[in-house]
Amino acid sequence: MSSIQLFRLEDENGRAHCIGGPAVKYSNGDETWVIHGDYHREDGGPAYMDNYQLIWFRYGKVHRPDGPAMVFLSKTPEYWMNGLHLTFEDFKKQYLI
């Protein structure tokens, strides 16, 4: 069974957009947080989520300063900062004190 888009909020240019909540939400619970067409979320949660992955973004770049930015159901988590992929060791050295 496929998921149905419940709502999509847009800015004046037709790009997905919502401040403080998901811009797009689906019947299966998947949601995306988007500001002016770029994935973005301020409150610490993932900006993109579905049944298989959680992805944190900041202003359109994969980014999470306090843990893995990409968490998958069946793969190793990935660490990203400002759109740059890091090994866990590099992430630990640079961001975990």
Side-chain angles (χ1 to χ4, degrees):
M1 183 171 159
S2 63
S3 182
I4 298 168
Q5 186 175 356
L6 297 176
F7 69 82
R8 175 187 166 97
L9 303 174
E10 297 180 347
D11 65 10
E12 63 278 358
N13 296 315
R15 297 174 296 189
H17 174 76
C18 183
I19 295 173
V24 184
K25 189 154 185 153
Y26 297 90
S27 59
N28 65 354
D30 294 355
E31 59 185 41
T32 57
W33 293 57
V34 184
I35 294 180
H36 298 296
D38 288 329
Y39 288 112
H40 178 81
R41 188 167 178 182
E42 292 282 341
D43 68 359
Y48 177 87
M49 59 194 83
D50 64 24
N51 291 332
Y52 307 101
Q53 59 192 345
L54 304 172
I55 305 175
W56 282 254
F57 285 88
R58 187 169 90 184
Y59 300 108
K61 294 182 179 180
V62 180
H63 176 86
R64 187 177 182 197
D66 61 351
M70 300 178 89
V71 178
F72 306 98
L73 183 63
S74 61
K75 287 185 0 183
T76 304
E78 296 182 12
Y79 295 83
W80 292 74
M81 290 296 292
N82 298 314
L84 299 173
H85 184 255
L86 301 170
T87 66
F88 175 67
E89 292 304 316
D90 287 341
F91 176 81
K92 212 167 50 169
K93 285 180 208 170
Q94 293 180 37
Y95 299 101
L96 297 180
I97 297 173

